[in-house]
């Protein structure tokens, strides 16, 4: 039973847990100059034992799904151990990961063997030049190869996310390339509308475009919107006969987006964040130190929910604590 409920009646069966701030990519909207150590904050990243205790506490609060994110979660040497610890001891039903997939062709088998329940891979374009332009890395080929490896291993629940950017990956040609891709692949592809963060105002102003451009394409191309359940999360999904995969749209600027919020976030340094944006959240790591602190940790998380606000207020430019999404995992 999920007992995490806020003052607006929303429940939180889903946690996004960042396990590293570090990233090797230089995505223009996130870390255009690459990852830089924050010298003002020399706290280390939460370790495997802390993560094990945290996952157990969350599971006892009714959380059923943890998504590992970052930064780039697979940069951490012990990322497989982390998956296994959550899978083995905590009671969490689904452990999934969001990754840039930079070494997916090499780690697909290990991921499958770890018991991972799902993977979201970020691929902003199927054109390798555009991919390199956005991420600073010419690695599209390896990532696509990694996806094929996962499919050969019969890994289910593969999703691809792309950030929609004006003039970069928002043409009908781009949309059709993804249509072709999901026609024969049982993979969901979603466009996320570019979000403004503390650091990316210029980029945002240059490249932000409403996700409606993609929705219009889907409507004209006779994709059918799927009705979704209460805990379905922020993606609106579209299906079409004869297509193995689905399309999805995540449009954070759309009206009522926050009404379906079902997730909380925890940073790699152990800060609970009640929203991707805004400035609410405190450090909870001191209560991950011993097994007998679990009740106290649960109480603290429950209590913090009283401070969750109704909306992110992003539409009025309130980007909050995060200079970019790499510290909080997008
Ligand atoms: N490094 C991993 C990756 O790229 O998948 C995990 C972390 S990344 C911060 C998680 C997701 O956030 C990625 O899909 C990325 O494209 C998305 N993201 C980052 N900054 C964003 C922004 N300003 N607006 C929209 N999505 C963003
Ligand atoms: Fe790294 Fe992901 Fe940010 Fe790209 S979006 S810079 S891959 S953390």
């Amino acid at each position: 039973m999920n007992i995490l409920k806020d003052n607006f009646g929303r429940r939180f069966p889903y946690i996004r847990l960042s396990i590293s701030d570090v990233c090797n990519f230089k995505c223009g909207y996130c870390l255009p100059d690459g990852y830089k150590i924050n010298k003002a904050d020399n706290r280390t990243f939460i370790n495997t034992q802390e993560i094990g205790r945290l996952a157990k506490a969350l599971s006892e609060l009714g959380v059923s799904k943890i998504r590992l994110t970052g930064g780039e979660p697979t940069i951490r040497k012990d990322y497989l151990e982390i998956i296994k610890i959550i899978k083995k001891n905590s009671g969490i039903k689904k452990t999934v990961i969001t990754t840039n997939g930079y070494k997916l062709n090499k780690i697909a088998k290990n991921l499958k063997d770890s018991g991972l329940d799902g993977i979201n891979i970020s691929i902003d374009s199927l054109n390798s030049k555009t991919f390199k332009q956005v991420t600073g890395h010419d690695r599209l080929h390896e990532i696509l190869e990694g996806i094929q490896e996962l499919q050969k291993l019969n890994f289910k629940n593969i999703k691809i996310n792309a950030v929609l950017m004006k003039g970069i990956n928002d043409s009908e040609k781009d949309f059709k390339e993804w249509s072709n891709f999901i026609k024969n692949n049982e993979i969901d592809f979603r466009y996320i509308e570019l979000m403004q963060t503390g650091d990316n105002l210029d980029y945002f102003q240059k490249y932000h475009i409403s996700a409606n451009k993609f929705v219009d394409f889907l409507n004209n191309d006779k994709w059918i919107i799927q009705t979704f359940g209460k805990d379905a999360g922020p993606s609106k999904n579209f299906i079409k006969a004869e297509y193995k995969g689905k399309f999805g749209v995540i449009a954070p600027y759309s009206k009522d987006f926050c009404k379906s919020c079902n997730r909380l976030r925890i940073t790699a340094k152990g800060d609970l964040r009640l929203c991707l944006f805004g400035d609410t959240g405190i450090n909870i790591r001191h209560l991950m130190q011993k097994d007998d602190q679990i009740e106290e940790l649960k109480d603290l998380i429950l209590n913090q929910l009283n401070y969750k606000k109704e909306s992110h207020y992003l539409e009025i430019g309130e980007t909050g604590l995060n200079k970019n999404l790499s510290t909080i995992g997008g």
Side-chain angles (χ1 to χ4, degrees):
M1 156 81 173
N2 188 280
I3 49 176
L4 287 175
K5 190 173 166 194
D6 73 359
N7 296 332
F8 306 95
R10 295 173 297 195
R11 290 189 187 270
F12 301 92
Y14 175 25
I15 300 286
R16 293 180 73 105
L17 173 63
S18 172
I19 57 171
S20 173
D21 292 349
V22 183
C23 188
N24 54 340
F25 275 22
K26 294 181 177 178
C27 301
Y29 44 77
C30 184
L31 294 173
D33 302 320
Y35 169 72
K36 301 256 179 339
I37 293 176
N38 175 2
K39 289 191 181 130
D41 180 0
N42 58 8
R43 294 176 298 162
T44 55
F45 299 142
I46 42 177
N47 63 39
T48 47
Q49 281 114 328
E50 289 167 326
I51 291 173
R53 290 184 196 110
L54 172 65
K56 190 153 195 299
L58 292 170
S59 155
E60 289 178 17
L61 287 168
V63 169
S64 54
K65 174 165 144 190
I66 292 185
R67 174 173 302 284
L68 301 178
T69 174
E72 176 45 42
T74 64
I75 273 198
R76 222 176 124 149
K77 287 202 173 64
D78 56 357
Y79 71 96
L80 289 168
E81 201 186 323
I82 292 173
I83 297 170
K84 287 179 196 160
I85 282 180
I86 300 176
K87 292 287 307 170
K88 196 169 165 197
N89 291 329
S90 65
I92 295 287
K93 292 194 184 77
K94 279 192 181 163
T95 308
V96 296
I97 200 166
T98 295
T99 172
N100 64 25
Y102 80 101
K103 54 177 175 183
L104 195 56
N105 54 345
K106 300 203 176 72
I107 64 171
K109 171 94 171 63
N110 289 341
L111 284 175
K112 168 81 179 172
D113 292 346
S114 71
L116 188 72
D117 297 289
I119 187 164
N120 284 13
I121 304 152
S122 303
I123 305 179
D124 289 328
S125 172
L126 280 172
N127 174 309
S128 48
K129 266 199 196 143
T130 311
F131 182 91
K132 184 172 176 209
Q133 180 198 344
V134 176
T135 64
H137 281 257
D138 192 5
R139 287 184 180 258
L140 177 65
H141 179 71
E142 285 109 300
I143 300 169
L144 294 176
E145 207 177 272
I147 292 178
Q148 283 176 357
E149 285 297 318
L150 285 174
Q151 289 175 317
K152 271 188 222 152
L153 294 161
N154 201 23
F155 188 95
K156 297 285 173 206
N157 198 4
I158 305 175
K159 295 194 176 101
I160 297 177
N161 294 330
V163 176
L164 184 67
M165 290 167 281
K166 186 161 59 188
I168 296 186
N169 61 0
D170 68 334
S171 70
E172 187 151 330
K173 183 170 170 283
D174 292 299
F175 301 160
K176 288 208 162 129
E177 275 173 7
W178 284 115
S179 289
N180 290 337
F181 185 87
I182 63 168
K183 186 154 195 184
N184 297 312
N185 283 300
E186 206 184 319
I187 291 178
D188 295 356
F189 171 83
R190 295 103 54 94
Y191 268 119
I192 311 172
E193 200 171 298
L194 176 63
M195 291 179 265
Q196 185 190 335
T197 61
D199 267 354
N200 76 1
L201 182 61
D202 289 351
Y203 196 94
F204 176 81
Q205 285 175 339
K206 196 164 170 197
Y207 295 115
H208 176 262
I209 179 158
S210 163
N212 285 337
K213 181 162 184 193
F214 182 54
V215 175
D216 290 345
F217 164 82
L218 293 175
N219 289 331
N220 289 335
D221 207 34
K222 311 264 182 297
W223 287 79
I224 300 157
I225 191 154
Q226 224 183 7
T227 44
F228 41 96
K230 212 165 161 258
D231 295 328
S235 173
K236 270 191 188 158
N237 295 326
F238 294 78
I239 50 173
K240 192 168 169 177
E242 289 148 35
Y243 280 71
K244 288 193 176 158
K246 288 180 201 163
F247 269 133
V249 183
I250 301 177
Y253 290 90
S254 62
K255 190 176 160 284
D256 291 343
F257 179 77
C258 299
K259 280 198 174 148
S260 63
C261 182
N262 65 350
R263 73 264 329 265
L264 302 172
R265 294 173 157 86
I266 296 167
T267 70
K269 292 177 179 172
D271 294 335
L272 173 71
R273 292 284 177 82
L274 301 173
C275 177
L276 182 51
F277 296 95
D279 47 15
T280 45
I282 54 157
N283 193 269
I284 56 171
R285 186 175 187 175
H286 58 288
L287 295 178
M288 299 177 203
Q289 303 313 308
K290 289 192 251 137
D291 290 343
D292 62 9
Q293 288 177 305
I294 282 191
E295 288 308 317
E296 238 183 305
L297 178 57
K298 282 160 59 182
D299 283 348
L300 182 60
I301 296 172
L302 266 176
N303 189 278
Q304 280 298 303
L305 271 184
N306 290 320
Y307 301 100
K308 184 161 166 74
K309 294 183 184 165
E310 189 171 13
S311 159
H312 51 37
Y313 305 111
L314 200 54
E315 63 286 358
I316 54 169
E318 269 201 27
T319 57
L321 284 172
N322 299 307
K323 290 197 171 305
N324 55 65
L325 299 192
S326 75
T327 41
I328 195 165

